[in-house]
Amino acid sequence: MPVIGGGPPGTGPVETAFRDQWGRLLALLVARYQRLDLAEDGLADAFEAAARTWPDDGAPANPAAWLLTAARRRILDRLRAEAVAARKEPLIVVEESLRHQALDDLAFPPDDRPASGGAVHPGDPTGVGQLRDERLRLVLLCAHPALAPEAAAALSLRLVLGVPTVEIARLFLVPEATMAARLTRAKRRLAAVGAPFALPGPDRLGARIAVVASVAYLAFTAGYAPGTGDEVVRASLAEPAIRLAQVVRSLLPERPVLDALLALMLLQHARRLARVGVDGGLVLLPDQDRSRWRHDEIAEGLAVLKPLLERESELWPASAGRPVRESGSAGSAGSVVPDPAEARLAREYFLQALVAAEHAAAPTADATRWDRIASHYAALEELTGSPVVRLNRAVAVAEVDGPAAGLALLDGLDERLPRSHRLPAARAELLVRADRTQAALAEYDRALALCGNDRERAHLERRRAQVAATT
Amino acid sequence: MKYLALLAYEPTVWDEASEETRQAYHQAHLDFHKAVAERATLLAGEALADVDAATTMRHVDGQVALTDGPFAETVEQIGGFYLVDAPDLDVMTDLCALLPTAYAIEIRPVVTIEGFES
């Protein structure tokens, strides 16, 4: 699939159609045929045919209609072949009225203008709401709680955005065949368990959006998981996850969890080019060349974050950080009670984004406002109880109050993070600064024994040698 | 779609439950029945006797062999089931969420085997 790479976004008609149409056309085909595998294969074939013929023949006047016709022909061929083989695949549950609507849409395909044109339906003369709903159904189906989070993340990238299987495999560090099998299993499972292609009621939507957000963030962080390949290339694999968050946010405006998620991703991702040194080694935050940060993306992330910051006390009224649970009684009659899982996740991403924003705002490493970062981490620890957050908080506190204060916060973490090399590595650094060299060397050894990543091992070995040389 | 919901719980939870807790369990089942009547169809549902009363049959060397007890000795044991015809998994999980919170509930779709359609 030459046109559908993860490279720079193309501007040709096929690339444009792919970027704007893939998800909505797939949603339409799923509504009509109730088969994820057929819809995906049929649409992928249609785009391949487009890539073959459009450059010579010219793009059709209505690319969406052209693609749907090509996809439908392919799907009908497959269905006939299956009927001959008397094979029966389970169908995705789609409400009857939606199936009929999809039938109309296929007969009179929506045109190309994303979110502006579309088939005309009674009660929705512009068709905008309907198309948005269909794509949202697809998003919610791919991130259905009946799937394991990693399977949901892979399936969302494949079906909502059309990311090629080979790239998803590279993102999750598995062979392509393994990822293809995983995707097939996930598609089958959704049909077999009866996960519906439907929008949940307003009281359930918040919980489902929280799942979608965590699935998108999982896809993002996978791009930053230590790999053996080129770190810069791996970070670029995180980009589809940002696009996924942007798509979902465009479908569901006014959801703080999606705003906070997008801000967090943009701010973290803006540092990717500075994370890798000339030798290909990992460069830690304090040593990064800040001129290599993408300041345009930082500005974008801050712009998304700002409205949340202004509404902080309103969004998370218990300023200690806990979402209000089942307030039930007085007050917010009529308004939808925010889902506790959604509100909690929103605050978690928000606090992480604030940490990233502090780093981004510091012109030099020395100018970093560690006091603010330490307090964000304290709020985050109270919210999540996570030992990893505690570790990060300890590092921040050490910058403010000295290594002894940081070391004190690391006490008792060993049982909770028994296999983490980051804990002994962080403790080693703090011990060095507390002039306890022998203890530091022992911690470097522990970290080296636990660390499985070559790049990070190289870094730890270098640090250990530097410290050993001072004794 | 038809779903079988297998209700599992630790027997001690019920044995040691206070009268109020038992009342709450009953109420949860009543709520479930009411919601099922609105959004799905209840095809069957029973509470089962303790696993002490279970008999497991296998064929060993061509002979029927009976053992006392369930398939597997686990902390949680199947204490009852519901067979429900529901539109989809989301409705089914909504309904099952009404059942007592001490349950672990395994939700299994029922499949149709050709030649054996009811």
Side-chain angles (χ1 to χ4, degrees):
Chain A
M1 252 179 279
V3 294
I4 309 165
T11 50
V14 182
E15 287 93 335
T16 306
F18 188 79
R19 203 173 46 241
D20 296 343
Q21 308 284 355
W22 169 277
R24 55 198 285 237
L25 297 186
L26 188 76
L28 203 53
L29 293 167
V30 173
R32 170 66 184 89
Y33 295 103
Q34 299 174 265
R35 288 271 302 271
L36 293 171
D37 54 345
L38 286 191
E40 177 197 337
D41 292 348
L43 191 57
D45 284 352
F47 271 102
E48 259 177 55
R52 249 192 341 265
T53 58
W54 292 6
D56 294 334
D57 303 353
N62 186 343
W66 191 100
L67 289 161
L68 274 181
T69 305
R72 195 168 45 155
R73 202 172 293 143
R74 172 74 181 157
I75 291 170
L76 291 175
D77 284 349
R78 284 273 304 270
L79 282 172
R80 269 193 289 273
E82 285 186 7
V84 172
R87 213 173 50 227
K88 252 188 161 176
E89 292 282 327
L91 298 179
I92 295 286
V93 179
V94 180
E95 208 181 289
E96 203 180 324
S97 62
L98 197 64
R99 288 209 308 273
H100 283 297
Q101 204 173 65
L103 205 59
D104 292 348
D105 286 338
L106 281 166
F108 305 100
D111 74 14
D112 302 342
R113 287 163 292 162
S116 63
V120 176
H121 292 283
D124 182 17
T126 63
V128 175
Q130 175 243 334
L131 287 169
R132 182 190 289 158
D133 283 357
E134 295 220 342
R135 226 174 158 188
L136 184 55
R137 283 188 189 95
L138 183 64
V139 165
L140 292 170
L141 180 67
C142 290
H144 196 278
L147 293 179
E150 197 163 291
L155 196 64
S156 300
L157 295 177
R158 177 70 201 120
L159 295 189
V160 178
L161 300 178
V163 178
T165 304
V166 60
E167 283 186 26
I168 303 171
R170 279 163 60 207
L171 174 65
F172 287 104
L173 299 165
V174 296
E176 187 181 357
T178 306
M179 183 49 73
R182 207 178 273 176
L183 288 167
T184 300
R185 231 177 2 252
K187 282 177 274 185
R188 284 240 170 87
R189 179 167 164 79
L190 287 175
V193 302
F197 187 69
L199 303 179
D203 55 330
R204 294 276 186 278
L205 186 61
R208 295 293 303 276
I209 292 171
V211 177
V212 172
S214 59
V215 157
Y217 193 53
L218 176 66
F220 177 78
T221 52
Y224 283 92
T228 46
D230 184 332
E231 298 293 339
V232 175
V233 172
R234 281 198 48 71
S236 76
L237 293 172
E239 265 148 43
I242 300 180
R243 266 193 292 140
L244 181 62
Q246 283 164 333
V247 165
V248 180
R249 190 165 166 263
S250 71
L251 298 172
L252 289 162
E254 319 259 323
R255 305 302 291 215
V257 69
L258 298 175
D259 297 344
L261 172 67
L262 182 61
L264 171 62
M265 287 175 167
L266 288 170
L267 290 168
Q268 288 185 341
H269 198 58
R271 301 197 297 251
R272 64 193 172 282
L273 296 175
R275 290 176 77 238
V276 182
V278 277
D279 59 346
L282 209 59
V283 182
L284 298 179
L285 193 51
D287 306 319
Q288 288 178 7
D289 173 1
R290 290 174 188 231
S291 69
R292 300 192 70 205
W293 290 357
R294 288 288 301 264
H295 292 278
D296 53 336
E297 293 175 10
I298 289 173
E300 199 187 337
L302 292 176
V304 176
L305 189 59
K306 197 168 168 239
L308 294 182
L309 205 52
E310 284 161 1
R311 291 173 60 205
E312 186 180 2
S313 56
E314 169 206 342
L315 289 170
W316 300 285
S319 63
R322 281 177 227 87
V324 182
R325 278 176 190 277
E326 296 171 78
S327 48
S329 54
S332 58
S335 69
V336 178
V337 178
D339 181 85
E342 185 188 8
R344 187 193 149 90
L345 194 63
R347 180 145 174 88
E348 192 178 329
Y349 291 151
F350 172 70
L351 289 167
Q352 289 186 44
L354 287 182
V355 171
E358 284 300 337
H359 287 301
T364 64
D366 289 341
T368 307
R369 288 294 302 268
W370 287 105
D371 54 334
R372 291 193 196 158
I373 290 176
S375 85
H376 296 325
Y377 274 130
L380 205 51
E381 192 191 348
E382 197 187 319
L383 183 71
T384 64
S386 156
V388 175
V389 172
R390 171 68 161 260
L391 172 56
N392 289 327
R393 183 182 156 213
V395 172
V397 165
E399 295 290 338
V400 184
D401 299 324
L407 285 166
L409 282 172
L410 293 181
D411 285 346
L413 271 192
D414 298 76
E415 304 102 77
R416 297 172 67 197
L417 292 170
R419 281 170 305 173
S420 162
H421 66 274
R422 285 194 56 220
L423 175 58
R427 189 181 279 130
E429 291 300 326
L430 297 183
L431 287 166
V432 170
R433 285 161 53 186
D435 290 325
R436 292 165 59 189
T437 311
Q438 287 308 321
L441 291 176
E443 289 297 317
Y444 280 124
D445 289 338
R446 285 188 52 209
L448 281 163
L450 288 167
C451 181
N453 179 258
D454 290 345
R455 290 239 161 93
E456 291 182 71
R457 285 183 64 84
H459 173 81
L460 286 168
E461 271 160 8
R462 208 163 45 236
R463 283 294 297 147
R464 192 192 185 285
Q466 285 168 355
V467 172
T470 65
T471 57
Chain B
M1 277 180 96
K2 287 183 200 164
Y3 291 98
L4 181 68
L6 294 165
L7 315 180
Y9 53 87
E10 295 181 33
T12 51
V13 171
W14 178 252
D15 295 344
E16 292 160 9
S18 66
E19 192 48 45
E20 295 90 79
T21 309
R22 292 187 177 204
Q23 206 53 50
Y25 272 50
H26 286 306
Q27 189 56 49
H29 281 273
L30 290 175
D31 293 346
F32 174 82
H33 278 261
K34 188 159 164 280
V36 170
E38 283 166 15
R39 302 180 67 189
T41 310
L42 186 61
L43 301 173
E46 301 289 352
L48 303 178
D50 277 0
V51 285
D52 295 350
T55 307
T56 298
M57 178 194 286
R58 288 186 176 86
H59 286 266
V60 178
D61 300 329
Q63 300 286 313
V64 167
L66 300 180
T67 48
D68 65 338
F71 292 121
E73 295 288 350
T74 51
V75 184
E76 286 167 335
Q77 290 163 353
I78 306 286
F81 71 91
Y82 283 112
L83 184 64
V84 178
D85 195 343
D88 56 56
L89 180 64
D90 288 0
V91 173
M92 189 62 189
T93 51
D94 274 3
L95 296 170
C96 289
L98 298 168
L99 291 167
T101 53
Y103 291 178
I105 303 174
E106 182 172 323
I107 300 169
R108 294 274 289 269
V110 172
V111 294
T112 312
I113 296 172
E114 234 166 294
F116 290 88
E117 294 95 345
S118 52

